[in-house]
């Protein structure tokens, strides 16, 4: 559904963009129900929701989340995946 949070994908040490930008996903990524943080004991293996393929274009509905350890996880919402 458009606008509904699907999950989060790991982007690495640099934010791939900012809210409103369209980016190209550089490598395949698992979209998980949650990102690792204090609220879930830093669990990086939340349930899988779906996957992104290298080359997928995504419009960022929200800014990437800076996670302790110096990495970013990107929220994916319904309607963010283009084409």
């Amino acid at each position: 559904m458009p606008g509904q949070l699907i999950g989060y994908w790991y982007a690495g040490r640099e934010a791939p963009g900012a809210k409103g930008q369209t980016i190209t996903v550089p490598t395949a990524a698992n979209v998980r129900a949650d990102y690792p943080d204090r609220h879930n004991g830093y669990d990086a293996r939340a349930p899988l929701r779906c996957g992104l393929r290298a080359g997928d274009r995504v419009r960022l509905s929200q800014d990437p989340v800076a996670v302790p350890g110096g990495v970013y996880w990107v929220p994916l919402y319904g309607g963010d995946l283009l084409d």
Side-chain angles (χ1 to χ4, degrees):
M1 296 185 122
Q4 183 176 3
L5 178 64
I6 297 168
Y8 301 83
W9 55 277
Y10 175 76
R13 295 208 168 270
E14 294 187 25
K19 180 179 177 180
Q21 289 184 309
T22 297
I23 64 165
T24 300
V25 178
T27 61
N30 291 322
V31 178
R32 296 191 175 270
D34 204 357
Y35 61 92
D37 200 12
R38 179 178 295 149
H39 69 270
N40 64 2
Y42 301 98
D43 182 10
R45 297 208 176 266
L48 287 173
R49 294 287 173 90
C50 63
L52 296 172
R53 296 179 299 207
D56 280 346
R57 291 185 27 206
V58 176
R59 182 179 302 115
L60 302 178
S61 290
Q62 297 294 322
D63 286 324
V65 177
V67 174
V71 298
Y72 289 87
W73 285 67
V74 182
L76 181 71
Y77 287 82
D80 285 359
L81 183 61
L82 305 174
D83 309 320

